[in-house]
Amino acid sequence: MSSATHTNSTTRIISPARSLRGSLMLPGDKSISHRYAMLAGFAKGTSRLANFSTGADPHSSLACMVALGAKTKRDGRTIEVAGTDGRFHQPKNDLDCGNSGSTMRMLAGLVAGQKGTYRFVGDESLTKRPMERIRKPLEQMGAHVWLTDGHAPMTIHGGELNAIDFEAPIASAQVKTAVLFAGLQAKGTTSFAEGIRTRDHTEHALKAFGADLVRREDRVYIGGGQHLEAIEATVPGDISSAAFFLCAALLFEDSNLVLDALGLNPTRASLLDAITTMGGHIKVLDVKEQHGEMIGTIQVNRNRSLKGITISGALSAQLIDELPVIAAIAPYTEEGVRIRDARELRVKESDRIALVVKNLRAMGAEVTEHDDGLDVPGNQKLHGAEIDSGSDHRIAMAFSIAALRAVGDTAIHGAEAASISFPEFFDWLDELAIR
Ligand code: S3P
């Protein structure tokens, strides 16, 4: 593999492979790392977070916590965070969330309950992403939230909050987190109801840091005025990063992949069901639990031909981060892939439906675009092409996987975006791919 750099944009050339073999321990889950960083910064005492994500996004969360008064010390992948005991400092500068929607939306919930004025900024992509979804509940609770045409820059004037009962209008774990983080500091008991169950790392993390919170059916309740205590934790390996290698393993008959200490939280693990439906054989070993999060070792190979899949309804919300890579390998499946109810993909780090369609077509695939998804027929042959990552980490990585079965080399432009969630991706892919 070679790489070339032009004005901050790196191009990676991906050659076809014959198989994918090896064993790995993935860096810590991005979603859990964000939550641990924020709650450790809010708690009393010093938390020790091992296997913290190496991605740039959770480090944006850590940097914001430092700006708010937390202190951090880094020793390899272990981060120590000395918290603020529930009282943030007034930051001297804007809170820079970089590319991270999770940082901006979830941290908004914590600062909403703090006296002071906080201005959040982000990069060009984050500045286009919808923030209205958190403004509504936080203003109902008593915070003042100013947006710029529905987007960042966002200014929050926080203070005393009242509890609310909120019904989620869209499936979003980030909105749920913002409301629960604000509810933690409000007067009374706040509840959040979600029609579609989203990832529950916030609920587990809050309990780990000592908060009382209960779920009854589809509603989570949190009492206000609670104090948090520091924890020691090891962040489970990131299953959404694993998704790229799992999909790569599906492409070849004789692949064999072992992933150690992988996060297997049931609200994230629908991916493993999808991999099985598509012909993968998964063996799960050594499952244990830490702070409510399941961790285990999985071994994956392919025991049938690569099968197609239909993803819609609640499954689309649960697989939202994995849909780009599933769509990118769709042409190689026997029956093709149909994705619906995934309109949220259009407001991620890029319009992921449009970019998946554009890049599949560049590789010679037939694909039909829908407002909320796409249809990719099966049994197609792809050729190497020029891929536009749109500066989106998941697009850069998804098409690197599609490239493994294409005829000829593929150039991934804007490959540096992978470091947002998975800086090791290209090196590890090179080690696993048999050529
Ligand atoms: C995340 C929730 C999802 C997901 C994102 C991380 C989280 O976003 O796409 O990558 O950590 O809570 P939404 O809440 O917007 O669905």
Side-chain angles (χ1 to χ4, degrees):
M1 194 188 301
S2 62
S3 60
T5 309
H6 313 276
T7 61
N8 288 336
S9 169
T10 304
T11 298
R12 289 274 186 168
I13 306 297
I14 309 289
S15 303
R18 282 185 290 119
S19 187
L20 191 106
R21 305 188 138 252
S23 82
L24 292 178
M25 199 178 116
L26 287 149
D29 185 83
K30 177 162 91 68
S31 291
I32 298 174
S33 296
H34 278 299
R35 288 152 172 89
Y36 284 179
M38 290 180 201
L39 295 180
F42 189 74
K44 179 180 180 185
T46 300
S47 294
R48 204 177 144 77
L49 310 173
N51 198 37
F52 193 83
S53 167
T54 50
D57 270 7
H59 286 269
S60 292
S61 286
L62 278 175
C64 287
M65 297 318 292
V66 170
L68 291 166
K71 293 196 170 62
T72 59
K73 206 159 90 188
R74 182 173 178 173
D75 176 10
R77 285 197 200 167
T78 299
I79 314 275
E80 277 186 9
V81 183
T84 56
D85 195 8
R87 262 184 306 260
F88 287 161
H89 296 181
Q90 181 64 52
K92 291 193 188 74
N93 300 309
D94 294 342
L95 293 165
D96 186 355
C97 304
N99 190 242
S100 176
S102 299
T103 304
M104 193 173 284
R105 295 189 182 126
M106 305 199 297
L107 191 51
L110 278 185
V111 305
Q114 299 282 310
K115 284 207 177 71
T117 302
Y118 306 86
R119 186 166 186 270
F120 291 77
V121 295
D123 69 5
E124 201 188 321
S125 145
L126 181 50
T127 302
K128 290 189 194 131
R129 298 185 63 189
M131 292 297 147
E132 194 62 31
R133 52 185 66 190
I134 53 161
R135 189 186 66 79
K136 281 196 183 132
L138 296 180
E139 289 216 320
Q140 275 177 34
M141 296 177 86
H144 297 282
V145 182
W146 291 274
L147 300 176
T148 315
D149 213 6
H151 309 108
M154 168 176 81
T155 301
I156 299 188
H157 186 66
E160 277 177 23
L161 300 178
N162 300 309
I164 55 167
D165 294 307
F166 194 73
E167 323 281 327
I170 44 162
S172 168
Q174 295 175 354
V175 174
K176 172 171 66 178
T177 304
V179 173
L180 295 178
F181 280 2
L184 180 70
Q185 306 165 79
K187 211 165 0 133
T189 297
T190 293
S191 76
F192 185 93
E194 47 182 8
I196 291 176
R197 180 128 190 219
T198 63
R199 62 192 73 191
D200 62 3
H201 304 302
T202 298
E203 293 89 312
H204 292 303
L206 280 164
K207 283 187 193 161
F209 280 89
D212 244 353
L213 130 164
V214 288
R215 172 180 279 274
R216 272 186 231 114
E217 289 164 14
D218 67 347
R219 194 176 280 277
V220 189
Y221 298 81
I222 187 161
Q226 301 198 54
H227 296 276
L228 303 185
E229 295 284 341
I231 61 165
E232 299 233 335
T234 299
V235 182
D238 195 318
I239 192 167
S240 297
S241 297
F244 299 102
F245 297 140
L246 292 171
C247 285
L250 282 181
L251 295 179
F252 308 102
E253 253 164 44
D254 60 345
S255 12
N256 187 32
L257 183 63
V258 177
L259 303 174
D260 283 323
L262 187 66
L264 297 175
N265 178 314
T267 61
R268 298 283 295 287
S270 336
L271 172 67
L272 301 186
D273 299 332
I275 296 289
T276 308
T277 305
M278 296 177 82
H281 178 253
I282 301 181
K283 227 195 261 171
V284 182
L285 313 157
D286 301 334
V287 181
K288 55 179 197 275
E289 193 194 313
Q290 195 197 33
H291 295 312
E293 295 289 347
M294 309 300 287
I295 306 172
T297 295
I298 65 169
Q299 182 182 20
V300 185
N301 35 53
R302 195 177 99 185
N303 64 351
R304 301 186 277 143
S305 51
L306 180 54
K307 312 296 284 176
I309 190 169
T310 292
I311 300 171
S312 61
L315 196 56
S316 294
Q318 277 147 16
L319 289 176
I320 197 78
D321 292 339
E322 290 75 58
L323 294 177
V325 66
I326 293 173
I329 63 163
Y332 305 122
T333 62
E334 280 184 354
E335 296 84 1
V337 170
R338 178 173 186 269
I339 296 174
R340 290 291 187 284
D341 305 317
R343 195 172 281 106
E344 275 290 302
L345 280 180
R346 294 205 182 268
V347 290
K348 293 291 178 189
E349 287 82 330
S350 67
D351 177 341
R352 287 182 173 161
I353 295 177
L355 267 183
V356 163
V357 168
K358 171 180 164 178
N359 288 318
L360 277 175
R361 287 185 181 146
M363 295 182 83
E366 191 189 310
V367 43
T368 310
E369 180 170 359
H370 291 266
D371 189 33
D372 65 340
L374 38 79
D375 289 326
V376 187
N379 285 321
Q380 303 194 57
K381 283 205 171 56
L382 303 191
H383 54 74
E386 309 279 323
I387 297 298
D388 171 14
S389 79
S391 302
D392 182 329
H393 54 130
R394 298 205 198 276
I395 299 294
M397 294 188 278
F399 281 87
S400 303
I401 301 306
L404 298 176
R405 276 250 321 243
V407 175
D409 288 351
T410 297
I412 311 283
H413 299 299
E416 72 291 341
S419 64
I420 286 297
S421 60
F422 194 4
E424 302 81 357
F425 172 77
F426 288 104
D427 291 343
W428 290 12
L429 179 61
D430 219 14
E431 277 174 33
L432 293 172
I434 314 276
R435 297 209 155 90

